[in-house]
Amino acid sequence: MYFAALLARTEDGWEASDTELDDVETLSDLTDLARDASPDEDTVLVFIEQEDAWFGVVRVDGEDDPRIFVSDATAAARSSYGEILLTDELLGREPGAEDTIAALEELVGLDDSEDGDPDTAPDNTTDTDTDTDTDDDDGFDADVVPAGPLGDTRILADLGLPEAELLMLRTDALAEIADALGAAEVLETVR
């Protein structure tokens, strides 16, 4: 079960709205949705929570790039909404790396030969051939999502929720975040 909401900070305090993510396919779509919620370019927080699995917070301040925090990147990676938040930049990958890898795999996997000719080259796998695979290995697999929290752990520090407290949140995290921000009642109205 998912829950998603927008909290926009205004002159009068926080305003909350329930939001549907059905039409959101990218972080850019989510950022546009947040900016639309605050015509005065105030701070907007997007909360996404999958019950007892993970939660994410996206902070949009005017035209600045969005800031993201995900409580459990591994769990979020198994979620279509979580995948929106797990950008190449957040994961420490080169932008578009997945597209490049997929294109190379497609080229190699066509039929392992040129012009449809069968591959007649001998299979020369030796110890030196297998060593070349590990030479480039720096301990980080670009396709693996790290376990645990990921992103900007200070995303809410200036709003009343220090980094250490954010990292300790597990269940009912969004309610605790809203309480720390002074927006618990407003969030509860859209739950």
Side-chain angles (χ1 to χ4, degrees), residues 20-35 46 48 58 60 66 68 79-88 99:
E20 286 294 323
L21 299 178
D22 294 340
D23 296 331
V24 174
E25 295 179 7
T26 65
L27 179 60
S28 181
D29 294 342
L30 190 61
T31 303
D32 291 343
L33 184 70
R35 287 190 178 120
V46 180
I48 303 172
V58 177
V60 178
I68 304 167
S79 156
S80 58
Y81 297 131
E83 287 180 341
I84 293 170
L85 305 181
L86 298 175
T87 63
D88 286 337
D99 296 337

Side-chain angles (χ1 to χ4, degrees), residues 102-117:
L104 289 173
E105 287 174 346
E106 184 178 320
L107 285 174
V108 171
L110 288 176
D111 65 1
D112 290 334
S113 64
E114 287 185 37
D115 300 330
D117 294 334

Side-chain angles (χ1 to χ4, degrees), residues 168-188:
M168 291 188 322
L169 297 176
R170 293 292 171 251
T171 58
D172 206 23
L174 299 187
E176 290 187 44
I177 292 170
D179 188 44
L181 302 178
E185 289 180 20
V186 181
L187 183 64
E188 193 58 37

Side-chain angles (χ1 to χ4, degrees), residues 54-146:
W54 67 276
F55 70 90
V57 179
V58 177
R59 179 176 176 168
V60 178
D61 294 301
E63 292 300 316
D64 292 346
D65 288 340
R67 296 166 59 190
I68 304 167
F69 174 78
V70 177
S71 66
D72 186 337
T74 304
R78 293 187 295 263
S79 156
S80 58
Y81 297 131
E83 287 180 341
I84 293 170
L85 305 181
L86 298 175
T87 63
D88 286 337
E89 183 179 335
L90 191 67
L91 293 170
R93 295 189 293 222
E94 287 291 320
E98 283 185 17
D99 296 337
T100 302
I101 291 169
L104 289 173
E105 287 174 346
E106 184 178 320
L107 285 174
V108 171
L110 288 176
D111 65 1
D112 290 334
S113 64
E114 287 185 37
D115 300 330
D117 294 334
D119 185 9
T120 57
D123 186 12
N124 292 328
T125 51
T126 63
D127 289 340
T128 56
D129 287 339
T130 57
D131 287 344
T132 57
D133 291 340
T134 57
D135 289 344
D136 295 340
D137 187 13
D138 59 1
F140 179 74
D141 184 357
D143 294 328
V144 175
V145 176

